[in-house]
Amino acid sequence: MRRSLLAFAYVAAALLALAFLLLPILAIFAHSSPARLVQQLSNPVVTDALEVSLKTSVLAQLLIVLLGTPAAYLLASRRFPGHALAVTLVELPLVLPPAVAGIGLLAAFGHFGLLGSSLHAVGITLPFTQSAVTIAVAYVASPLYIRQAIAAFEATDAQLAAASRTLGAGPARTFFRVVLPLARGGLIAGLALSFARGIGEFGATIMFAGSLQGVTQTFSLAIYAEFARNFDATLAMSGVLVLFSIVLLVALRIGLTWQRSSSTGSPSLFGLTSSS
Amino acid sequence: MATLLLDRITVALRSYELELSLEVGSTLALVGPSGAGKTTVLRAVAGLVRPRAGRIAVDDDVWFDGPRGVDVPAERRRIGLVFQEYALFPHMTVRQNIEYARKHGADDYLERFRIAHLERARPAQLSGGEKQRVALARALAREPQVLLLDEPLSALDAHTKTAVRAELHDLLSTLDIPVLLVTHDFEDAAALADTVGVIVDGKLRQTGTPSGLVAQPADSFVASFTGANLLHGDAEPGPESTRVRLDDGSVVATADPAHGRVVLAVYPWDVTVASEPPHDSALNVIHAPVRSIAELGNRVRIAIGPVTAEITAESLRRLALVAGRPAFATFKATGTRVVAEHEDR
């Protein structure tokens, strides 16, 4: 008797939690008729926001991958004084409140910021431009990619990189033909996480880039700007983001499965270990 | 044939320093317990570990020279290294693994190593023996100046091991490059190599032919590593032979002159086993209960008192020995060797 009651309590709690998590998502699609939502997708506010979000996100993620991948590989494969500190610092933006990140970016790159006058001297103004959105997104989202990439590189078998070297492949060929393909799954998972965080970016962007329609107003900012004026538009945009999130979630799952199936062992740089 | 030369190579290991000189002409096996630094020797030759000092060269090609600051990167040393777990690239097919080492002519290697039918398979789908053939093919596809094998048989189960060992032996005898292999198993080393070096705590203890090591082990460690029974006792010169009172009280004779505290080495194949008291020329008879009977293929190892004997499965059936029941183990005084005691770490 008691046992079945406990089992019932487990199932009830699980169903309640699941319903709680799913309800808001379902409500987005249930609130208005699908036809009205689809109609909103041609609203200029929505199309402008979509364009800004896509452009800045893609650019930001490109920056993150190009700079973050080598950084993560170095942190995963080399041990040097200050290594632990470096890994911790990489993760700092992750725990920083987004508004603080925005203020920090302004204090660094703003007109009166640390680098602001030097940038101004060479004709670069960042705050409240589309570049500012890209920078804010890159700043806030990069730790998610780098963290995952470090883990992915650390999980690749060091013997395989060593084997590659003994077969006549230099560091570059070893990296691109052996290490990168083996870490691929983890890198994709990291990119999915970073993309999701970047698309949802709000605080840092609004502080550092503002919310100008067609220039710096991303999807997330547009949802906030529109919800008092045109609730259907915010629902339509939210719906798009829900679908996008599902795609990212699937990418994340696939990435993590790949990673698990392709690697074991501990890291080393191009298969070399120092003897001292 | 070329010669691989290691001249006073020093590598700092966790608890001690590896330090050795080696000259590898045909096939040399380094044997030793795990943690003796065997794999490190291979990694140093391959350029994956940088020694602190010394010189590594193949004929006139100097790969490492500490004092002169020469350190050729791993990818520019023409070596073939077969890793203990083979280290095949899991994301490539068998063919791609071999083509990684050489762009053209992979077919020859696929055929020579009888893996052509597996060319499209991924490493995860291969058996242990197949993986080893792919790893060997890949290592040799580079046309190396030296072949290095790290525990070539340890990743295989006992069943495939015997067949693969014979196969590997045949392959090694056809190669005309120096082969340096490491293993923790003296039998494997003896089966595969002309010369065996026993390495302990990073130092080379003794080098010689497998039969030479068995005939004249440098100390008790080498003796035990090559499979001997070690009997500890006190020696006293007798009129015809040396008498040794073993620690368990029994007395045995040895033809070697000795005095005081000694270690006697007796090889299992020099010990005969009987269920009745023997009447032959052997001076040493141990009458004790059978401690254990272990079958290894067609050979059987029987522990009687302090010694282990090796006999055939057929003899075992004829003698009808049972664990726990007394039996006789006999060996000749000339079948014992007095060896120096090895100080354990």
Side-chain angles (χ1 to χ4, degrees), chain A residues 122-208:
Chain A
V122 291
I124 298 174
T125 312
L126 284 177
F128 308 107
T129 64
Q130 210 164 69
S131 305
V133 180
T134 305
I135 289 174
V137 168
Y139 184 80
V140 172
S142 58
L144 285 161
Y145 175 77
I146 295 176
R147 244 163 57 121
Q148 195 71 33
I150 291 174
F153 286 130
E154 281 183 343
T156 58
D157 188 349
Q159 296 283 28
L160 297 175
S164 166
R165 300 291 305 274
T166 66
L167 293 168
R173 187 164 175 237
T174 297
F175 182 76
F176 286 106
R177 294 278 316 270
V178 176
V179 178
L180 207 53
L182 292 174
R184 173 187 67 174
L187 300 184
I188 288 172
L191 190 60
L193 285 172
S194 161
F195 228 116
R197 177 68 186 88
I199 286 288
E201 219 305 298
F202 187 93
T205 315
I206 205 161
M207 306 285 301
F208 186 46

Side-chain angles (χ1 to χ4, degrees), chain B residues 128-188:
Chain B
E130 289 167 345
K131 275 185 197 163
Q132 194 189 51
R133 294 215 295 275
V134 177
L136 278 165
R138 187 179 70 171
L140 291 172
R142 212 184 161 214
E143 290 178 24
Q145 289 168 282
V146 174
L147 181 65
L148 308 171
L149 306 169
D150 191 0
E151 297 277 2
L153 301 166
S154 71
L156 302 168
D157 55 65
H159 177 67
T160 32
K161 189 172 147 165
T162 323
V164 173
R165 188 161 78 180
E167 211 172 87
L168 191 58
H169 175 263
D170 292 347
L171 170 74
L172 296 185
S173 60
T174 63
L175 295 178
D176 55 356
I177 54 172
V179 178
L180 177 59
L181 67 97
V182 306
T183 167
H184 64 275
D185 188 324
F186 178 75
E187 264 188 69
D188 289 346

Side-chain angles (χ1 to χ4, degrees), chain B residues 31-282:
Chain B
V31 295
S34 41
K38 303 180 303 272
T39 298
T40 307
V41 177
L42 297 188
R43 293 179 70 85
V45 174
L48 298 170
V49 165
R50 191 195 166 108
R52 289 216 315 213
R55 191 166 174 276
I56 300 172
V58 178
D59 289 346
D60 294 334
D61 287 346
V62 179
W63 286 344
F64 181 81
D65 192 329
R68 290 203 189 143
V70 178
D71 184 16
V72 176
E75 64 270 23
R76 295 223 308 271
R77 300 183 186 195
R78 268 179 46 212
I79 56 115
L81 173 53
V82 177
F83 289 78
Q84 185 172 359
E85 309 284 344
Y86 310 127
L88 300 176
F89 302 127
H91 57 299
M92 298 183 195
T93 62
V94 166
R95 171 178 280 278
Q96 286 167 335
N97 263 281
I98 290 163
E99 281 173 346
Y100 195 85
R102 73 179 297 133
K103 276 232 161 56
H104 307 288
D107 291 315
D108 294 348
Y109 289 85
L110 286 167
E111 258 154 52
R112 184 169 153 209
F113 287 87
R114 294 177 288 113
I115 45 176
H117 61 293
L118 300 168
E119 64 168 323
R120 262 177 258 245
R122 302 257 169 177
Q125 299 163 277
L126 304 178
S127 73
E130 289 167 345
K131 275 185 197 163
Q132 194 189 51
R133 294 215 295 275
V134 177
L136 278 165
R138 187 179 70 171
L140 291 172
R142 212 184 161 214
E143 290 178 24
Q145 289 168 282
V146 174
L147 181 65
L148 308 171
L149 306 169
D150 191 0
E151 297 277 2
L153 301 166
S154 71
L156 302 168
D157 55 65
H159 177 67
T160 32
K161 189 172 147 165
T162 323
V164 173
R165 188 161 78 180
E167 211 172 87
L168 191 58
H169 175 263
D170 292 347
L171 170 74
L172 296 185
S173 60
T174 63
L175 295 178
D176 55 356
I177 54 172
V179 178
L180 177 59
L181 67 97
V182 306
T183 167
H184 64 275
D185 188 324
F186 178 75
E187 264 188 69
D188 289 346
L192 294 173
D194 323 315
T195 313
V196 175
V198 181
I199 182 171
V200 191
D201 298 351
K203 310 270 185 298
L204 207 54
R205 183 61 56 83
Q206 190 178 7
T207 312
T209 61
S211 53
L213 291 187
V214 169
Q216 303 259 282
D219 63 15
S220 60
F221 180 85
V222 177
S224 124
F225 204 77
T226 53
N229 293 292
L230 296 185
L231 305 174
H232 297 259
D234 297 294
E236 208 172 277
E240 282 155 35
S241 61
T242 309
R243 301 271 147 184
V244 179
R245 178 170 291 279
L246 301 183
D247 293 349
D248 69 356
S250 53
V251 176
V252 296
T254 175
D256 287 357
H259 187 74
R261 206 60 202 153
V262 291
V263 183
L264 281 184
V266 184
Y267 283 92
W269 47 88
D270 287 335
V271 181
T272 42
V273 178
S275 44
E276 300 294 323
H279 300 284
D280 59 16
S281 66

Side-chain angles (χ1 to χ4, degrees), chain A:
Chain A
M1 183 63 202
R2 203 180 232 169
R3 229 195 186 153
S4 60
L5 215 92
L6 196 67
F8 175 76
Y10 274 127
V11 173
L15 286 176
L16 201 67
L18 203 64
F20 172 66
L21 293 175
L22 284 180
L23 192 66
I25 293 165
L26 293 175
I28 288 171
F29 294 98
H31 197 275
S32 288
S33 74
R36 284 177 64 184
L37 292 185
V38 171
Q39 195 190 348
Q40 281 299 329
L41 291 179
S42 53
N43 180 334
V45 175
V46 176
T47 52
D48 282 353
L50 179 67
E51 195 188 325
V52 171
S53 264
L54 273 182
K55 262 198 205 163
T56 56
S57 282
V58 168
L59 212 60
Q61 299 308 326
L62 212 64
L63 271 176
I64 290 172
V65 169
L66 287 181
L67 296 177
T69 310
Y73 187 47
L74 191 77
L75 287 172
S77 52
R78 276 277 160 95
R79 292 290 174 270
F80 47 84
H83 177 268
L85 184 70
V87 172
T88 309
L89 288 180
V90 162
E91 293 179 351
L92 190 59
L94 203 63
V95 290
L96 210 59
V100 176
I103 290 290
L105 288 170
L106 266 180
F109 305 108
H111 290 297
F112 306 105
L114 274 179
L115 302 176
S117 51
S118 333
L119 287 172
H120 193 71
V122 291
I124 298 174
T125 312
L126 284 177
F128 308 107
T129 64
Q130 210 164 69
S131 305
V133 180
T134 305
I135 289 174
V137 168
Y139 184 80
V140 172
S142 58
L144 285 161
Y145 175 77
I146 295 176
R147 244 163 57 121
Q148 195 71 33
I150 291 174
F153 286 130
E154 281 183 343
T156 58
D157 188 349
Q159 296 283 28
L160 297 175
S164 166
R165 300 291 305 274
T166 66
L167 293 168
R173 187 164 175 237
T174 297
F175 182 76
F176 286 106
R177 294 278 316 270
V178 176
V179 178
L180 207 53
L182 292 174
R184 173 187 67 174
L187 300 184
I188 288 172
L191 190 60
L193 285 172
S194 161
F195 228 116
R197 177 68 186 88
I199 286 288
E201 219 305 298
F202 187 93
T205 315
I206 205 161
M207 306 285 301
F208 186 46
S211 179
L212 298 163
Q213 190 194 327
V215 185
T216 67
Q217 192 174 75
T218 62
F219 248 37
S220 299
L221 295 177
I223 287 171
Y224 181 72
E226 287 299 298
F227 96 104
R229 280 192 291 182
N230 181 353
F231 199 59
D232 278 347
T234 62
L235 284 173
M237 288 188 279
S238 302
V240 170
L241 288 190
V242 167
L243 296 179
F244 183 71
S245 302
I246 291 171
V247 170
L248 287 181
L249 195 62
V250 171
L252 179 69
R253 285 274 145 223
I254 292 174
L256 288 177
T257 316
W258 265 356
Q259 181 67 32
R260 231 169 284 133
S261 62
S262 70
S263 57
T264 48
S266 56
S268 81
L269 194 65
F270 313 125
L272 289 174
T273 48
S274 57
S275 59
S276 51

